[in-house]
Amino acid sequence: MLSVTNLDVAVNGGMILNELNLEVQAGEVHAIMGPNGSGKSTFANVLAGHPGYEVTAGSVIYEGQDLLQMDPEERARRGVFLAFQYPVEIPGVSNVYLLKAAVNEIRKHRGESELDAVKFLKLVREKLKLVDMKEEFLHRAINEGFSGGEKKRNEIFQMAMLEPKLAILDETDSGLDIDALKVVAQGVNELRDSSRSIVMVTHYQRLLDYIVPDYVHVLAGGRVVKSGGKELALELEEHGYGWIEGQTAELLETRA
Amino acid sequence: MNSSVSAISDLIGRDYKEGFVTEIETDTFPPGLDENVIRALSTKKNEPEFMLDWRLSAFQRWQEMVEPSWAHVSYQPIDFQAVSYYSAPRSVGDGPQSLDEVDPKLLETYNKLGISLQEQKFLAGVAVDAVFDSVSVATTFKSKLAEAGVIFCPFSEAVQEHPELVSRYLGAVVPAGDNFYAALNAAVFSDGSFVYIPKGVRCPMELSTYFRINALNTGQFERTLIVADEDSYVSYLEGCTAPMRDENQLHAAVVELVAMKGAQIKYATVQNWYPGDEEGRGGIYNFVTKRGACRGDEAKISWTQVETGSAITWKYPSVLLEGDRSVGEFYSVALTNNCQQADTGTKMVHIGKNTSSTIISKGISAGRGQNAYRGQVKILKGADNARNYSQCDSLLMGDRCGAHTFPYVEVKNPTATVEHEATTSKIGEDQLFYCRQRGLSEEDAVSMIVNGFCKEVFKELPMEFAVEAQALLGVSLEGAVG
């Protein structure tokens, strides 16, 4: 599904990702953890094609194709979805309008016909239940005046509508109280599927209690310094990121 | 940001598809302006004496006036002697004809512009008056409107057929000497539309005038007068285009609206005059005076404008709120791209008690465009409990354009409530990325964001015009779902 090899990324000349490697198979859920500034969100944004980051080396192969050559919209149409850490507000544009345009762009790309209003509304109602949202929510301007929890739920709702193959969740748990977290996690769990891969970027182990990953990777200094099963997250919780950073320093010293 | 800037310029830098010239024989006055030109014009139109007197006194006033310089626009001085003040397709002859007799070249011109003058082909429910250079060439659905008692005809015809109405209302809202361009218009205006809605009548269809400038070195000076008698209702649409020429052309129009007790007038404009090229060559100088008066209690006048064209726009559709509880509204989208300059806004003058006004202005600047909102809210002494709400938002695209806001507020009654809000924002890279991450092309994303920005204004437009306005901004229809 996704193969990231020796990825280097720079922002304003500063190196953020440094020889990052990651393999994700279809149906797997990977958690990417790490301290602030470790490059987690950068990685999520680079996969989605944010124009503010410069890939200086390495490759990202998605379903056998060079992902880095694609515009953000092409990635989206091919099934790459990013649930944003900070979803932007777009005044005057209703949620449902963007959603219908997005659904139809993706359908068009797959060679399917556009959904008519009735079918679209039926689908919307079904998916709204998943994240426990009311229909009136659809007609509000995108993220305008939404609470933190509403914004994150809206991202997962969009994910449910667009049915991506590769979903990247960027700090979806941040700013959520425990009830909202449960709703969001439940929505994501319902979308787990043998053909869908999920990459979750998170700072805290807490999210992983509700969305249990197959693999956990720890990012430090722009690279994956430790990978393991879900138990790795518990170890991290116990020892803190300092534990990993100590190990990393050793690792780097032995290399030098 | 570079890629998004290029998408924006693709979007709004599309070719001006209305820029063609119609080859047609014309009857054109030589350039120049003096009393003889005005007399000749009046004779040509076979006008009654009160019209000639009115024109001549306006001309006298105009000669004593100075061109205004307070607007936030700059341009080379206009040589008013180099302009021709009358040009008409020869085939039109002395006056308007029946639709069957209209020159096929003119029909073709309007067809190319998407305006069919053949009634059976035109959008049901819209009557059109087509003004070509200095004269009206056709008016549709006149007989159907006449059944309802509605008068909708070229101004020159109204002067002949309804002189009592014309003499009563001409200059009643915009006097001949109101301002420099209004005085010029009063002296030389050649045609335009006239509308009268009788008491208690709800006009059965939308009325529309389509203005086309074709001839070279010619100014278009038209005058529109709409009178809505007590408890009547009319919705009026105005559209305009011109050929692409390297020279600047002058358009100095006057629109007067009179709403009597309980009457309502909705006036919408989609202004798409040729804006000039990327370097700022050519384009229309659009110096227009538009004003409405709520003469009676509970009268309501609402202006909606979408300004995408013209090299220079100088225009302030205003409302005089004379009757108690009368209402004035102004909804505006003004887009300036390349070297376009717009100085536009409104004036709301509260005279009656419990009057209220709303101003929503959306300015979009791209390229090297300069966009100024200039608005005045005046609450006079007797206007107890007057209310105004103003909102002026500016959207900037790129870093070479400008947005300016000049609000003037004058309150002489302590019971008044006046609110003013203003915002300026840049179209955000994060907004674009968000939409693209959901699968929209960059161009669609820009359209959607711009459309969202203008939504409060577009929803005021009649359906047919909303579609045209959105197409003009390259945007697709918001709210088609749900």
Side-chain angles (χ1 to χ4, degrees), chain B residues 344-460:
Chain B
T344 183
T346 184
K347 243 196 294 193
M348 293 290 175
V349 183
H350 292 254
I351 302 161
K353 294 179 176 55
N354 298 300
T355 46
S356 69
S357 61
T358 305
I359 299 170
I360 308 282
S361 163
K362 304 278 180 176
I364 303 164
S365 319
R368 282 173 282 164
Q370 292 294 326
N371 210 321
Y373 166 81
R374 188 181 304 276
Q376 185 180 43
V377 176
K378 221 171 169 173
I379 314 266
L380 300 191
K381 230 175 178 168
D384 292 345
N385 304 313
R387 302 181 73 89
N388 163 265
Y389 173 74
S390 303
Q391 182 190 332
C392 305
D393 299 323
S394 306
L395 187 68
L396 300 170
M397 299 184 180
D399 49 15
R400 293 181 303 163
C401 54
H404 317 269
T405 305
F406 305 100
Y408 306 87
V409 179
E410 202 183 313
V411 180
K412 296 213 170 113
N413 185 312
T415 60
T417 312
V418 177
E419 285 177 81
H420 182 91
E421 287 180 28
T423 66
T424 300
S425 53
K426 270 187 105 157
I427 193 160
E429 194 178 342
D430 285 341
Q431 289 176 327
L432 284 176
F433 179 60
Y434 189 83
C435 297
R436 295 177 76 191
Q437 211 301 305
R438 296 302 182 247
L440 274 69
S441 69
E442 191 164 34
E443 190 176 299
D444 288 347
V446 170
S447 296
M448 199 169 77
I449 294 164
V450 170
N451 187 16
F453 176 74
C454 301
K455 187 182 183 181
E456 288 157 285
V457 174
F458 285 166
K459 72 173 201 263
E460 296 297 326

Side-chain angles (χ1 to χ4, degrees), chain A residues 48-51 72-73 76-77 80-82 84 88-94 97-98 100 102 105 139 143 155 158, chain B residues 429-431 433-442 444 448-449 451-453 455 476-482:
Chain A
H50 194 292
E73 55 268 36
R77 291 168 194 171
V80 177
F81 179 90
L82 173 64
F84 285 79
V88 291
E89 299 183 359
I90 307 182
V93 180
S94 68
Y97 183 74
L98 171 66
K100 185 158 195 250
E105 284 295 344
H139 302 289
N143 295 315
E155 294 293 294
Q158 292 186 8
Chain B
E429 194 178 342
D430 285 341
Q431 289 176 327
F433 179 60
Y434 189 83
C435 297
R436 295 177 76 191
Q437 211 301 305
R438 296 302 182 247
L440 274 69
S441 69
E442 191 164 34
D444 288 347
M448 199 169 77
I449 294 164
N451 187 16
F453 176 74
K455 187 182 183 181
S476 35
L477 188 65
E478 166 76 19
V481 177

Side-chain angles (χ1 to χ4, degrees), chain B residues 12 64 67 101 113 136 227 372:
Chain B
I12 47 196
E64 293 156 11
E67 217 178 322
E101 294 163 30
L113 296 168
S136 171
V227 180

Side-chain angles (χ1 to χ4, degrees), chain A residues 61-112:
Chain A
I61 304 299
Y62 167 71
E63 291 197 308
Q65 308 246 12
D66 183 354
L67 189 71
L68 300 177
Q69 287 303 311
M70 298 176 199
D71 283 338
E73 55 268 36
E74 194 186 344
R75 299 181 199 204
R77 291 168 194 171
R78 287 173 182 267
V80 177
F81 179 90
L82 173 64
F84 285 79
Q85 180 178 7
Y86 303 111
V88 291
E89 299 183 359
I90 307 182
V93 180
S94 68
N95 240 340
V96 69
Y97 183 74
L98 171 66
L99 205 56
K100 185 158 195 250
V103 165
N104 283 328
E105 284 295 344
I106 289 167
R107 289 181 65 90
K108 204 161 77 189
H109 184 81
R110 293 185 192 146
E112 297 165 358

Side-chain angles (χ1 to χ4, degrees), chain A residues 33 216-218 226-237 243-244:
Chain A
M33 303 186 68
V216 174
H217 310 275
V218 181
K226 202 169 178 67
S227 295
K230 59 181 183 238
E231 63 287 346
L232 178 58
L234 296 170
E235 277 184 69
L236 270 177
E237 178 80 353
W243 168 62
I244 291 287

